[in-house]
Structures are given as structure tokens and as C-alpha cells.
Amino acid sequence: MNKLFILVLLCLVHSVKGQDSLQLKFVPLPNKIYKSRIDFRTKAQGKLERTKGNTGKFELSPSNLNIETVNTTESIMTTQNENNNRIPYTWKFIHSNSFQKLNGKTSEIYTPLDGSIIYGYFDKTAAARKIDSVMNDDLEFVEKLSLKNQLEQSHGENTYSDVPIAVGASFEKESFISIPVLGAENQEFIMTKRYTLKKIERGIAYLENNISFHLKSPNKDIQVLSNTNGSGIMQFDTKNQCVLNEISEYNLFVSVGEGENTLISQIWSKDSRTTKVQ
């Protein structure tokens, strides 16, 4: 799944059992306006460690991989009256920009979300996002169909907990990401976020998460190093069923063996998302 499409999804929640537990859902409230902003930054750097003769020591070479990617998306979702367990919505993407800097050279990455207007509804019975149409004069029919399918599928992939979560309890969420690794091109990783509900105060729930990684397909020549780490926080409004703020940051270290040489990649990433409800 393209990371950009995953990043634009809104994480909406439903409060249950007063202020003692939460059940995360993705069905918004009717007659609301959700204004969302998502910022995503990634830096990937690499170096080569080469064995010097029979000494067992290493010498470092300059990096031949230096990639930085920046994505920013702003959108407004307007919901209407609920009818037959369906909540119609209009989802306007004010702008969606993506830039990549490769070894100092900056280029813009095409994104079909920019300027798109999505019409659809949330099916409360199936807890699923449905899309009726995609409006964007710059997109061909096949591009619109691809965008529609990816947004609908991504909604299911981002399901959190199916049961209420009590304060102090934890749950895990997995997602697949593709990352450029020095000496091995793009690699598929499973990123696991372990969330813990810390407290609920004055209608705001506070969660913390720890992030871990492993390869989607094991490879004896590629290893996720032990100094890999990541963490994040989340706050959401239990009354309006909306994520107010979420920030995650991680450092992923990967080694790739090539004979007597070892190539090391460090991938740093930070994403933040905010939502305001009217």
C-alpha cells in the first residue's frame, strides 16, 4: 500500500463505559466538519563498513544514499445526517504536496490527492468507508478508480481495537511500509505500534506507543539492528470521536551483508497529524 494513502486516513474513535475505557472505531459523527492536517518526514542515510585485511577492523566510506521525503496533506471532511446506518460525507483535499531530496537534488512527487473531492458514506453496520465518486479534472478514469480502491482498502487496514480498551491496557497495530535500504533497494517491513491507554481526563484520552520493526520476508543477509527504536503519543476527544493530535517518531537501523562488507542504513521518520472539529 502506498504510504501516502495510508497517511491521509483519519483515525476516529468512539467512547464507551464513561471515562474508563475506549473502543476505537472509524465512524464519524453526523453533521460535523473535520479539518485535518498531516505532516510526514523521512530521512534515509547510508554508510559502508569494510573489513581492513585480516585485522577485523572497519573503515567507513562516505554515504552513497541520502534521501529526504516530505509530505503535507490538508483536508476537510463534512458529514451529513445519518440515514439507514449510513453517514454521507464530502472529503475535500485542500492540498497534498510531496517532495523528495536525493543527494541534495529536490524533486516534486506526483500525488493524485491534491485537489481531489471524494463523495461517499460510512457504513456503520460494516464499519467501513465507502466511496461513490472521485472528482478531479486532472485524473484519468483509471487513476480515479485506483485512488478509490486504495482509500477504501486502507480504511480496513487501519482498524485498531475491536473491543473496549481499559486505562492501563495495551493493544498492537501492524502496518506494512516500504523503505529504501542501502544495498538492497526498497524493502518491505512490518511496523508494529504497541499502544497503551494512559489516562482519560476531561474528555481527552491520552495514549503512548512503542514502535518496532521486522522484515516482512526474512532474509539472512538483511538484519534489523537492535538500536532500532520508536515511540509516539496520541490524544483524542472522546465526545467528538476524533483524534486531536498524534505524533510518532522512529529510527530504523538496517544492515545488509555483501561478502566482507556491511552496508548500514539509518532511516529516521516523524509524522504528526491534527484534527479540529466544528
Side-chain angles (χ1 to χ4, degrees):
M1 180 62 59
N2 187 295
K3 180 166 56 182
L4 177 62
F5 296 133
I6 296 178
L7 290 172
V8 302
L9 302 176
L10 300 177
C11 304
L12 305 176
V13 298
H14 177 59
S15 176
V16 297
K17 296 185 179 180
Q19 296 294 294
D20 297 324
S21 62
L22 292 174
Q23 183 176 1
L24 276 73
K25 286 182 175 292
F26 293 91
V27 180
L29 297 174
N31 300 311
K32 294 288 185 178
I33 299 175
Y34 297 87
K35 295 184 177 180
S36 176
R37 178 183 174 93
I38 298 174
D39 293 290
F40 184 84
R41 292 177 176 269
T42 298
K43 294 181 181 179
Q45 298 178 333
K47 66 180 181 180
L48 173 65
E49 295 182 345
R50 179 179 293 113
T51 303
K52 294 180 64 176
N54 296 320
T55 65
K57 296 181 179 180
F58 292 96
E59 60 181 359
L60 304 182
S61 71
S63 168
N64 61 357
L65 173 67
N66 193 330
I67 301 176
E68 182 176 356
T69 303
V70 179
N71 304 114
T72 302
T73 300
E74 289 189 18
S75 65
I76 298 177
M77 176 180 289
T78 303
T79 60
Q80 301 172 19
N81 289 325
E82 179 179 341
N83 185 20
N84 293 327
N85 288 320
R86 293 183 175 185
I87 301 176
Y89 67 85
T90 302
W91 195 2
K92 297 181 180 180
F93 288 87
I94 308 305
H95 76 265
S96 181
N97 299 327
S98 183
F99 298 91
Q100 184 179 83
K101 182 184 292 186
L102 176 60
N103 293 330
K105 184 178 179 180
T106 302
S107 59
E108 185 173 358
I109 302 174
Y110 168 73
T111 166
L113 287 174
D114 193 32
S116 293
I117 301 177
I118 312 296
Y119 295 95
Y121 62 91
F122 285 87
D123 187 336
K124 295 183 66 176
T125 302
R129 182 198 309 274
K130 301 295 183 180
I131 295 175
D132 293 324
S133 62
V134 176
M135 305 298 294
N136 189 325
D137 293 338
D138 295 330
L139 300 182
E140 300 293 337
F141 173 79
V142 174
E143 293 176 302
K144 292 179 180 180
L145 181 61
S146 176
L147 179 57
K148 172 183 180 297
N149 291 337
Q150 293 195 54
L151 288 174
E152 287 186 338
Q153 293 170 8
S154 295
H155 178 76
E157 292 175 0
N158 281 268
T159 298
Y160 284 75
S161 172
D162 293 326
V163 298
I165 301 299
V167 172
S170 300
F171 60 94
E172 292 186 349
K173 171 186 164 230
E174 292 186 346
S175 58
F176 298 98
I177 59 173
S178 178
I179 300 176
V181 175
L182 179 62
E185 299 182 342
N186 280 10
Q187 293 295 310
E188 292 287 332
F189 292 87
I190 298 177
M191 178 172 67
T192 302
K193 290 186 177 181
R194 182 175 179 81
Y195 288 87
T196 301
L197 178 57
K198 307 299 290 187
K199 62 181 180 179
I200 305 175
E201 290 184 354
R202 297 181 180 180
I204 305 297
Y206 299 83
L207 292 94
E208 296 179 356
N209 72 68
N210 292 312
I211 305 172
S212 60
F213 293 85
H214 64 273
L215 284 168
K216 183 178 179 181
S217 300
N219 188 322
K220 63 181 180 63
D221 296 322
I222 304 176
Q223 300 293 328
V224 176
L225 301 182
S226 60
N227 52 340
T228 292
N229 62 84
S231 61
I233 59 172
M234 180 191 291
Q235 302 171 1
F236 51 81
D237 185 334
T238 61
K239 178 181 178 180
N240 290 311
Q241 304 179 355
C242 175
V243 173
L244 299 178
N245 181 38
E246 182 174 9
I247 301 174
S248 295
E249 184 173 357
Y250 65 78
N251 282 284
L252 171 60
F253 294 87
V254 181
S255 69
V256 180
E258 291 191 353
E260 295 182 347
N261 300 327
T262 301
L263 300 125
I264 306 294
S265 285
Q266 176 186 359
I267 300 96
W268 169 88
S269 182
K270 181 178 182 179
D271 72 87
S272 65
R273 61 198 68 201
T274 59
T275 303
K276 296 181 179 180
V277 186
Q278 296 178 354

